[in-house]
Amino acid sequence: MPHAYHNPVSIHSGRGSLQRLPSILAGRRVAVVTFPEARELGLVERLEKLLPGSLVEVIDDVRPNPDVAHLSALYDRFWQSPDACDAIVAVGGGSAIDTAKALMVGTASRGFSELVDLLAAGKAFEPASVKPLIAVPTTAGTGSEVTPWATIWDAARQKKYSLHLQATWPEAAIVDPELMLSVPAGTTVSTGLDALSHALESVWNVNANPVSDTFAISAVQDIFECLPALMQDLGSIELRERMAMAALKAGLAFSNTKTALAHSISYEMTLRYGLPHGIACSFTLPIVLEKAWSRSPERDRTLQRLFGPDLRAGSLRLRGFLQGLGVKTEFADYGVADAEAAAMIARAMDGARGRNFIGAVPA
């Protein structure tokens, strides 16, 4: 069967790779989108020194799970002066990069309400204008630096929008593990498990291909080995670098396959139960593994490279891995009754991401 793999993002990785930012920007005026603690951590000052004269704005009030209630005023203010900058640099975790992706897409009216209407329609559209994006992750997990997707939430209406255009691929990604040394334990676990979810979701996926499998298998193996060790030594630059590369490989895998059932379930768990994204999309991985097994001989071969030939042993290993990191692995652990969990899985299976799952297709 023929396969295709495509990823247009220029990747710069390794310790000290942030120093390449000026040459990547080549004198363009930039707005930096980052998280509130970035100033306290000295990141904003570092960027100001790296980009003298070209850093024209710092947007540092990014919030977790970017919501339309907050993004609206931010977006409208940003596009009031469309010529103020030539590009956007996102520095932070998935929320910072998702916020930047929302900002990079200019509507004809320069208003956020028009963007929400376009997203709600669920169809591809051509933005009136686009700001190029350079993504600089400060956590090892999002993968958003090498994908075109951004998740925009509407908690008031219990909705989630997916922004995904050809224009929303970042121009470049800078993956510098030195920026991840200050990430606390809880965030390290949550983002690391998000990366594990990306990798596994790209394996039990109808869009999987040999190239995405290569990235995914390597990412899963690295995370299994590296994440528990990192939790015992958060200051290890070697382990931070390995996790950064694992998250990058997971991103490269699902940049072509998209995510699947575990992520589809996670959206409702985040909206209704307030679970952080990395936990919401990873606690069901053993359940989804059990549903994926024996659905496809080809996919089984890939899964068995990771978990061995025995489903029960593989599921127990995955549960043990998650529980060893302090993650509970049953719906009941999060206050979800069995009947509601079954209904939630059924709804997720019918969602856009759920339909990517091999178990959503008759065996």
Side-chain angles (χ1 to χ4, degrees):
M1 180 182 294
H3 297 279
Y5 179 91
H6 170 72
N7 193 300
V9 182
S10 172
I11 299 169
H12 308 262
S13 62
R15 303 176 205 181
S17 53
L18 183 63
Q19 295 298 125
R20 300 181 187 175
L21 182 57
S23 62
I24 294 168
L25 288 169
R28 287 177 289 181
R29 298 166 303 151
V30 299
V32 166
V33 176
T34 191
F35 54 102
E37 298 83 2
R39 288 188 184 276
E40 183 182 340
L41 292 169
L43 260 177
V44 172
E45 182 181 3
R46 186 174 175 187
L47 291 166
E48 288 170 341
K49 289 179 179 178
L50 268 177
L51 305 170
S54 59
L55 177 49
V56 298
E57 182 180 8
V58 176
I59 300 168
D60 62 357
D61 56 345
V62 164
R63 299 180 185 178
N65 301 326
D67 192 280
V68 295
H70 176 64
L71 284 175
S72 179
L74 193 66
Y75 182 98
D76 291 350
R77 186 170 66 249
F78 180 80
W79 282 100
Q80 274 180 357
S81 305
D83 299 323
C85 71
D86 307 309
I88 300 172
V89 175
V91 181
S95 294
I97 299 175
D98 281 2
T99 298
K101 286 180 180 176
L103 293 178
M104 72 187 286
V105 176
T107 60
S109 65
R110 300 178 188 168
F112 187 70
S113 60
E114 183 183 352
L115 179 59
V116 172
D117 289 344
L118 290 166
L119 294 174
K123 298 177 182 178
F125 60 91
E126 193 69 32
S129 54
V130 177
K131 301 287 185 183
L133 172 64
I134 290 80
V136 186
T138 59
T139 61
T142 174
S144 189
E145 70 273 12
V146 288
T147 77
W149 300 297
T151 300
I152 297 172
W153 303 85
D154 189 342
R157 297 183 180 179
Q158 290 286 286
K159 289 185 177 181
K160 176 206 70 90
Y161 302 111
S162 182
L163 174 60
H164 171 206
L165 304 171
Q166 188 60 35
T168 50
W169 286 97
E171 175 186 301
I174 298 176
V175 184
D176 188 338
E178 291 179 350
L179 301 179
M180 304 173 188
L181 284 168
S182 62
V183 177
T187 306
T188 298
V189 167
S190 182
T191 55
L193 293 179
D194 191 17
L196 177 65
S197 303
H198 293 154
L200 288 174
E201 292 265 89
S202 72
V203 172
W204 50 55
N205 198 301
V206 297
N207 302 307
N209 63 69
V211 179
S212 65
D213 275 354
T214 299
F215 287 125
I217 291 168
S218 179
V220 172
Q221 291 171 337
D222 284 349
I223 294 167
F224 277 167
E225 182 179 332
C226 184
L227 187 54
L230 177 57
M231 293 307 298
Q232 300 302 314
D233 188 5
L234 292 171
S236 169
I237 187 61
E238 291 81 10
L239 293 172
R240 291 287 186 185
E241 186 160 35
R242 287 186 62 191
M243 273 303 301
M245 289 307 300
L248 175 63
K249 287 183 283 190
L252 290 168
F254 91 97
S255 73
N256 276 240
T257 65
K258 305 178 184 178
T259 51
L261 181 58
H263 270 73
S264 191
I265 295 168
S266 80
Y267 302 134
E268 192 166 346
M269 289 299 295
T270 295
L271 280 169
R272 292 182 56 195
Y273 294 89
L275 236 57
H277 176 68
I279 306 303
C281 66
S282 63
F283 87 92
T284 59
L285 291 176
I287 298 169
V288 179
L289 172 62
E290 291 163 6
K291 292 181 177 295
W293 206 277
S294 299
R295 302 298 304 192
S296 158
E298 180 204 10
R299 294 295 84 208
D300 277 357
R301 285 191 290 272
T302 305
L303 288 170
Q304 287 166 11
R305 290 176 63 183
L306 294 168
F307 297 104
D310 183 79
L311 168 59
R312 177 168 172 76
S315 179
L316 286 172
R317 180 190 174 195
L318 186 51
R319 273 190 171 82
F321 175 80
L322 292 166
Q323 291 168 0
L325 293 168
V327 177
K328 297 175 181 179
T329 55
E330 303 299 332
F331 279 97
D333 296 323
Y334 301 97
V336 184
D338 289 349
E340 176 55 23
M344 192 181 297
I345 292 171
R347 288 191 294 269
M349 194 84 79
D350 194 45
R353 293 295 182 258
R355 290 192 293 272
N356 294 330
F357 176 56
I358 53 174
V361 179

